[in-house]
Amino acid sequence: AASDVYKRQTIDNDSMISHQHCALYLNGGNVYIEDLHSANHTFLNDDIVMKPKICYDGDLIRIGQTNLMIQM
């Protein structure tokens, strides 16, 4: 499996977020983000996530109208 650890996180009050919008996972010591075919896309530093991408400290994730910052 590509993932070492999965933990489900729910974000309420954002109707632009799909039920299963994106995944963050560990692989080979790196943190990856992957869009799960969401209706409104997942963004990493304002770029649409089209395939799994490595995340770095300080990267910005946008799902729906919600912004998150990666802190490692």
Side-chain angles (χ1 to χ4, degrees):
S3 171
D4 297 325
V5 177
Y6 268 103
K7 181 178 181 185
R8 185 174 296 237
Q9 181 66 43
T10 302
I11 299 172
D12 295 326
N13 301 320
D14 189 338
S15 62
M16 301 290 288
I17 296 176
S18 300
H19 179 68
Q20 292 185 1
H21 197 102
C22 67
L24 290 166
Y25 57 89
L26 296 172
N27 188 5
N30 293 310
V31 176
Y32 286 83
I33 187 166
E34 181 176 357
D35 185 77
L36 300 178
H37 307 287
S38 64
N40 295 308
H41 304 293
T42 299
F43 295 84
L44 180 64
N45 299 320
D46 291 326
D47 294 326
I48 294 175
V49 175
M50 301 295 286
K51 62 181 182 175
K53 291 188 175 185
I54 296 177
C55 296
Y56 299 97
D57 189 49
D59 278 352
L60 299 175
I61 296 170
R62 180 165 41 95
I63 52 175
Q65 297 176 358
T66 300
N67 296 299
L68 307 165
M69 181 184 285
I70 297 290
Q71 294 183 325
M72 297 185 220

